[in-house]
Amino acid sequence: MPDNSDFMASLEQATLKIVQQTAANMKTACTLVEWDAKHNCPVDQGQLRADIHSVVHFDDKKIVGTIGNSVKYAEAVHNGSDIYAKDGNGRKDHWIYKAEGGKHAGWHTTRGKKPQPYLEDAKMRNLSKIPGILAGD
């Protein structure tokens, strides 16, 4: 029986290089969407925009790129809040709150904020470019 261990090793190395290149292409695609989201993100003090980030994870079965925020109010900005919340998942009446610092400091009554889906919009604006980036074009 012929020894094909060198062939198998080269095949595994080639596969690893392809996966690594595709993961790098995924990072490029995520960076494109991340930049667009930052460019169109609503800004008060800039924390929300500054926190937009992306990360790529891969294993032997899949490559996943994720773009998002970790700021605690990011979801309320993106999906809306209270009576305006996406899918009707918010409070149904008005409420009073006090904002500390920034251009909106002081007491306010609100019925909520309308959605500003800067991440979803960035994804949709760049959706046609992503397959080419992933392919390495």
Side-chain angles (χ1 to χ4, degrees):
M1 179 174 259
D3 179 16
N4 62 359
S5 59
D6 288 342
F7 173 74
M8 293 303 291
S10 69
L11 191 59
E12 287 177 16
Q13 280 186 317
T15 301
L16 179 60
K17 285 183 180 181
I18 291 168
V19 169
Q20 289 172 333
Q21 183 59 54
T22 305
N25 294 349
M26 176 67 81
K27 182 60 181 169
T28 300
C30 287
T31 300
L32 172 69
V33 176
E34 180 183 332
W35 180 88
D36 190 310
K38 285 183 178 188
H39 183 73
N40 292 293
C41 179
V43 177
D44 181 2
Q45 296 178 334
Q47 295 168 332
L48 183 65
R49 178 176 51 196
D51 185 65
I52 298 171
H53 59 277
S54 61
V55 64
V56 174
H57 296 285
F58 68 94
D59 59 28
D60 59 341
K61 295 187 191 270
K62 62 184 177 262
I63 300 170
V64 177
T66 306
I67 305 151
N69 288 89
S70 58
V71 175
K72 67 180 181 179
Y73 56 87
E75 184 178 4
V77 172
H78 192 272
N79 295 333
S81 64
D82 304 325
I83 68 169
Y84 303 109
K86 183 179 173 184
D87 301 326
N89 293 330
R91 184 188 301 237
K92 305 301 181 217
D93 58 358
H94 77 282
W95 57 287
I96 299 171
Y97 71 98
K98 183 177 182 182
E100 302 289 339
K103 65 184 178 184
H104 302 293
W107 287 98
H108 302 275
T109 300
T110 184
R111 296 184 67 79
K113 298 281 185 184
K114 292 184 179 178
Q116 299 179 70
Y118 56 95
L119 291 168
E120 181 68 21
D121 291 348
K123 178 186 79 173
M124 296 309 293
R125 278 191 295 273
N126 292 285
L127 200 56
S128 65
K129 298 174 188 171
I130 293 172
I133 293 169
L134 294 177
D137 294 344

